[in-house]
């Protein structure tokens, strides 16, 4: 079993929304690894970070991604930091991966300044820029297609993703 496609990208790129739209078009289901972690732990991603720290969360995330890649045959949306794991990046080599890229201004607008995202506490814009700059090379490393989402609605992003999937083996 193998996912139809895996969606990666930073906060605010629209991974979950686009994954839902794309899955509906393809007639498959969506699996979101952040939701898997929340279901497994019985708490929010934010609370896992706060109560147990980022290292604990990343270990849970790596396991959740591995399970999703092994068990799910639909669309898989990864958390924004999943690509930080070397193991995860190696696992993604055998999958079709779409990187949803987003500019800083649009990401801040979508995430909001009163965000509940643990890595964006404080100056959201500065934190988001630092996070995006550090991860961009990793997203590009695993991606088979990059879609800049700034001026697109989720349906338009799904159009590009579907066209890519129709043309790829």
């Amino acid at each position: 079993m193998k996912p139809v496609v895996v969606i990666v990208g930073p906060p605010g790129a629209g991974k979950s929304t686009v994954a839902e739209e794309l899955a509906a078009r393809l007639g498959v289901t969506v699996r979101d690894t952040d939701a898997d972690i929340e279901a497994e732990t019985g708490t929010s991603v934010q609370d896992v970070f706060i109560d147990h720290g980022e290292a604990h969360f990343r270990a849970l995330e790596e396991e959740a991604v591995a399970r999703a890649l092994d068990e799910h045959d639909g669309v898989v949306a990864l958390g924004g930091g999943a690509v930080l794991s070397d193991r995860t990046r190696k696992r993604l080599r055998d999958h079709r991966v779409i990187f949803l890229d987003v500019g800083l201004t649009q990401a801040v607008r979508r995430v909001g300044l009163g965000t509940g995202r643990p890595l964006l506490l404080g100056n959201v814009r500065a934190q988001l820029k630092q996070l995006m700059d550090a991860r961009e090379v990793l997203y590009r490393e695993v991606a088979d297609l990059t879609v800049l989402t700034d001026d697109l609605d989720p349906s338009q992003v799904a159009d590009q993703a579907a066209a890519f999937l129709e043309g790829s083996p």
Side-chain angles (χ1 to χ4, degrees):
M1 187 176 302
K2 193 173 185 176
V4 173
V5 68
V6 180
I7 308 289
V8 300
K15 296 180 298 293
S16 297
T17 304
V18 169
E20 290 284 346
E21 172 84 21
L22 184 58
R25 288 181 188 204
L26 299 174
V28 298
T29 58
V30 175
R31 185 147 173 193
D32 185 305
T33 57
D34 280 351
D36 287 353
I37 293 166
E38 289 179 345
E40 180 184 329
T41 62
T43 189
S44 69
V45 165
Q46 180 179 4
D47 286 345
V48 173
F49 262 87
I50 292 168
D51 296 341
H52 303 285
E54 184 176 0
H56 178 74
F57 172 78
R58 294 294 173 209
L60 292 173
E61 181 175 55
E62 190 175 283
E63 293 169 12
V65 170
R67 279 193 307 274
L69 295 178
D70 288 344
E71 301 170 359
H72 192 70
D73 61 356
V75 177
V76 175
L78 302 188
V83 296
L84 295 171
S85 162
D86 289 336
R87 287 187 195 138
T88 294
R89 290 194 312 278
K90 285 177 187 163
R91 283 185 180 104
L92 289 173
R93 288 181 188 148
D94 295 329
H95 298 276
R96 292 184 289 187
V97 179
I98 298 175
F99 164 33
L100 300 186
D101 196 4
V102 63
L104 180 61
T105 300
Q106 202 53 251
V108 169
R109 183 174 296 130
R110 293 176 186 174
V111 169
L113 296 176
T115 184
R117 297 170 191 251
L119 290 180
L120 299 180
L121 298 176
N123 181 334
V124 173
R125 186 177 181 82
Q127 294 294 332
L128 193 52
K129 179 173 180 4
Q130 181 181 20
L131 179 148
M132 290 169 70
D133 288 349
R135 295 178 184 174
E136 182 176 10
V137 67
L138 301 176
Y139 295 132
R140 292 191 185 282
E141 174 187 324
V142 301
D144 297 300
L145 172 71
T146 298
V147 178
L148 181 60
T149 65
D150 283 7
D151 297 322
L152 304 175
D153 65 34
S155 179
Q156 293 169 313
V157 176
D159 287 344
Q160 289 190 34
F164 163 73
L165 293 173
E166 287 172 9
S168 72

